[in-house]
Amino acid sequence: MHDPDAGSASGDLVRFRHEFYRSLTRRADALFELAEAVLCAEGPVRSLPELSLLAVHRRGHGGLYAGLAHGRIDVDRLRDAIVAGPLPRASDGRIVLAVDVTCWFRPEAHTAPGRVMCHAYGRNRNQHLAIPGWPYSIVAALETGRSSWTAPLDIQRLAPGADAATVTAEQLRRVVTGLITRGHWQPGDPEILIVADAGYDGPRLAFQLADLPVAVLVRMRSDRVLRRSTPPHTPHTVGRPRRHGSEFVFGDPATWGDPDVAIDADTRLYGPALVRSWNRLHPRLTHRTAWTTHVGSLPILEGTVVRLQVDRLPSGAIPKPVWLWHSHVDLDTRMIDLLWQAFLRRFDIEHTFRLFKQTLGWTCPKLRTPEQADRWGWLVLAAYTQLRLARRLATDLRRPWEKPAPPGRLTPARVRRGFRNLRAQAGSPASAPKPTRPGPGRPPGHRNHRPAIRYDVHVVTSTSKKTKSSTPRPRRTG
């Protein structure tokens, strides 16, 4: 059966491939064919030199590493080409962006600069590890329905000492501005929804992006304490007017009161879901941490708090309630129902991270400099974008033990399995290699008298030693 969207999908794929090639300003042929080899390799990518043995990579392994070491990518042009393509949307037509940080662990790379201590979970339950590596912030557009597809739009490495909140705000501003420029959002459309996990300061992120048509939805820790709106001022009251109302303690149900919206839903993976929301709650900000340099009085950032309680988890663990904070107030039942479902879709970005690392081989190369790692990360992002654009064009080359999938419902790994057939139809803008001879290299018997410089791992230290209390108390501030 002919797919009416196949023609436009084929045109989008061809246009992106040519624009991707034009964004490679140096060593373009080597970098482009390296991305081709990632897409056409049989099985997961385990080693970069093995990619040079494929027929689509017409250059040797030396040209492969020379492209990563000395190549150049016009990141702005490549990012614009990615944003220009079709993007997934939520059920109500709005764009939902998820932002998260994933780490490229390099514990033994003592000669690689720019490493920081990255957070990781251990094999044991509730075990947290700190491993040296390169953290990367990725922004991806989410889609609705039962699917593991996302649309990664931007990738940025967090440099040592950089403020993660500021870097994330600048990255989101760059992506949202590109969406508006490309016509994905127009006046009158629903606001773009930004979904993030508990590691992000949602109120501060909403304050920094207040001039953009976005709304922020973040998960908050279960020990937070927010404040209600200021009660009406009583006449003839002595003293300064109050800025904050009564407390809303996440861990104390006695402070909650009656919810403004209550929803009883049913989910396929998590069973019955109880959703409750409370309107106009804000954190009590102080001139500390992120707000140290704020000039003037601190703002009152009111929002809506949503509590999500599910019956079960796919892993079998006991579920804990999830607390969400949304940057808008006075929301109706339909919007509250969309918010908690959008947050559950945020976990799709974890499937993208797993595909990047385990199938496309994002973290398998042993690169020396972070600039080479950035270059390789953009190549992997461009390769995944081609898989997404070829989603409706690929043929299902399923294994005998796999279930058949209808057109357009293939997973990214199964689309990659048949991409080598689509490559012949889309064409390649890369030129044929010129004959050359390898260099002489180091003369036999001569040692390397210029050893590589060893770099320390960047560690954020505290000026005061903190001891963990045996009786933890709720956080009194934002």
Side-chain angles (χ1 to χ4, degrees):
M1 184 175 181
H2 177 68
D3 189 355
D5 297 330
S8 60
S10 178
D12 293 335
L13 177 62
V14 173
R15 281 191 295 269
F16 175 78
R17 286 170 61 86
H18 284 79
E19 191 63 23
F20 169 45
Y21 181 78
R22 296 188 188 100
S23 66
L24 307 176
T25 56
R26 185 186 297 179
R27 305 269 179 160
D29 298 328
L31 294 178
F32 186 86
E33 291 190 353
L34 175 57
E36 293 281 87
V38 172
L39 292 172
C40 299
E42 182 69 25
V45 177
R46 302 298 185 189
S47 171
L48 284 188
E50 291 182 356
L51 295 178
S52 64
L53 302 178
L54 299 179
V56 297
H57 194 281
R58 297 172 293 181
R59 289 155 177 83
H61 63 278
L64 183 148
Y65 278 105
L68 289 176
H70 307 292
R72 294 293 182 270
I73 301 178
D74 189 348
V75 174
D76 295 334
R77 184 166 186 172
L78 179 55
R79 185 189 299 112
D80 185 68
I82 295 175
V83 174
L87 296 180
R89 295 176 181 267
S91 57
D92 64 341
R94 74 174 65 235
I95 298 176
V96 181
L97 300 179
V99 57
D100 204 353
V101 174
T102 183
C103 298
W104 182 344
F105 297 121
R106 301 298 309 275
E108 303 296 336
H110 302 289
T111 59
R115 294 184 303 159
V116 300
M117 299 302 295
C118 301
H119 178 267
Y121 288 100
R123 294 184 179 273
N124 297 331
R125 188 176 179 182
N126 295 329
Q127 183 182 14
H128 302 277
L129 304 176
I131 303 177
W134 291 319
Y136 280 86
S137 175
I138 296 181
V139 178
L142 305 179
E143 68 177 49
T144 186
R146 297 172 57 183
S147 172
S148 61
W149 285 92
T150 63
L153 304 178
D154 191 85
I155 180 173
Q156 182 172 352
R157 178 174 48 88
L158 302 179
D163 183 15
T166 303
V167 173
T168 303
E170 295 175 353
Q171 185 182 21
L172 287 171
R173 179 178 295 276
R174 186 168 56 243
V175 172
V176 172
T177 303
L179 293 175
I180 297 174
T181 304
R182 279 294 182 173
H184 291 289
W185 185 91
Q186 298 178 359
D189 294 345
E191 290 183 317
I192 299 174
L193 181 61
I194 297 175
V195 186
D197 206 0
Y200 293 88
D201 189 350
R204 177 171 174 80
L205 198 60
F207 178 78
Q208 293 177 316
L209 303 177
D211 58 326
L212 296 176
V214 299
V216 179
L217 177 67
V218 297
R219 182 173 71 91
M220 283 189 167
R221 291 165 52 102
S222 59
D223 59 353
R224 292 292 296 269
V225 176
L226 301 185
R227 300 299 183 100
R228 291 185 170 87
S229 301
T230 307
H233 182 69
T234 305
H236 310 292
T237 302
V238 180
R240 186 178 63 177
R242 298 178 58 184
R243 285 177 50 86
H244 311 283
S246 58
E247 291 184 344
F248 185 95
V249 185
F250 287 3
D252 187 5
T255 63
W256 298 352
D258 296 332
D260 296 292
V261 176
I263 302 175
D264 295 338
D266 192 12
T267 62
R268 182 179 60 88
L269 290 177
Y270 308 101
L274 303 178
V275 184
R276 304 292 183 264
S277 71
W278 292 265
N279 192 27
R280 294 189 177 277
L281 297 175
H282 65 272
R284 182 178 178 270
L285 305 180
T286 58
H287 281 92
R288 293 183 298 180
T289 60
W291 299 94
T292 304
T293 59
H294 184 80
V295 180
S297 59
L298 294 174
I300 301 296
L301 304 175
E302 290 188 328
T304 302
V305 170
V306 180
R307 183 179 186 270
L308 173 62
Q309 178 69 58
V310 297
D311 181 66
R312 62 177 183 270
L313 294 178
S315 61
I318 300 177
K320 297 181 180 179
V322 176
W323 292 91
L324 308 176
W325 184 89
H326 188 257
S327 58
H328 288 181
V329 297
D330 302 331
L331 303 180
D332 55 6
T333 304
R334 182 190 62 84
M335 191 62 190
I336 296 296
D337 192 47
L338 184 142
L339 291 181
W340 70 268
Q341 296 184 51
F343 180 79
L344 293 182
R345 295 249 58 93
R346 191 203 70 84
F347 294 97
D348 292 345
I349 198 173
E350 302 295 338
H351 298 286
T352 303
F353 292 162
R354 188 178 299 110
L355 181 80
F356 277 15
K357 296 179 179 181
Q358 298 182 1
T359 302
L360 302 184
W362 176 35
T363 58
C364 74
K366 307 302 181 183
L367 302 179
R368 174 66 61 84
T369 65
E371 291 77 18
Q372 298 176 11
D374 297 345
R375 213 166 288 132
W376 170 243
W378 277 107
L379 291 182
V380 173
L381 187 61
Y384 181 87
T385 303
Q386 295 183 59
L387 292 179
R388 181 168 58 86
L389 296 177
R391 181 177 176 180
R392 293 185 175 274
L393 305 174
T395 304
D396 186 13
L397 303 178
R398 67 183 184 92
R399 303 292 189 255
W401 54 86
E402 295 176 342
K403 295 181 179 180
R409 296 290 299 175
L410 298 178
T411 62
R414 290 171 74 165
V415 172
R416 175 175 175 262
R417 193 179 298 166
F419 188 85
R420 65 186 68 181
N421 301 328
L422 297 175
R423 176 187 174 275
Q425 304 174 11
S428 176
S431 59
K434 298 178 182 180
T436 183
R437 295 181 179 179
R442 186 183 302 124
H446 289 69
R447 299 181 57 184
N448 183 15
H449 298 286
R450 294 183 298 177
I453 303 176
R454 302 174 70 90
Y455 298 90
D456 295 332
V457 181
H458 180 79
V459 181
V460 179
T461 57
S462 176
T463 56
S464 60
K465 184 177 181 181
K466 297 181 180 180
T467 58
K468 187 176 182 180
S469 174
S470 59
T471 57
R473 298 176 57 189
R475 301 175 64 181
R476 316 307 295 182
T477 64

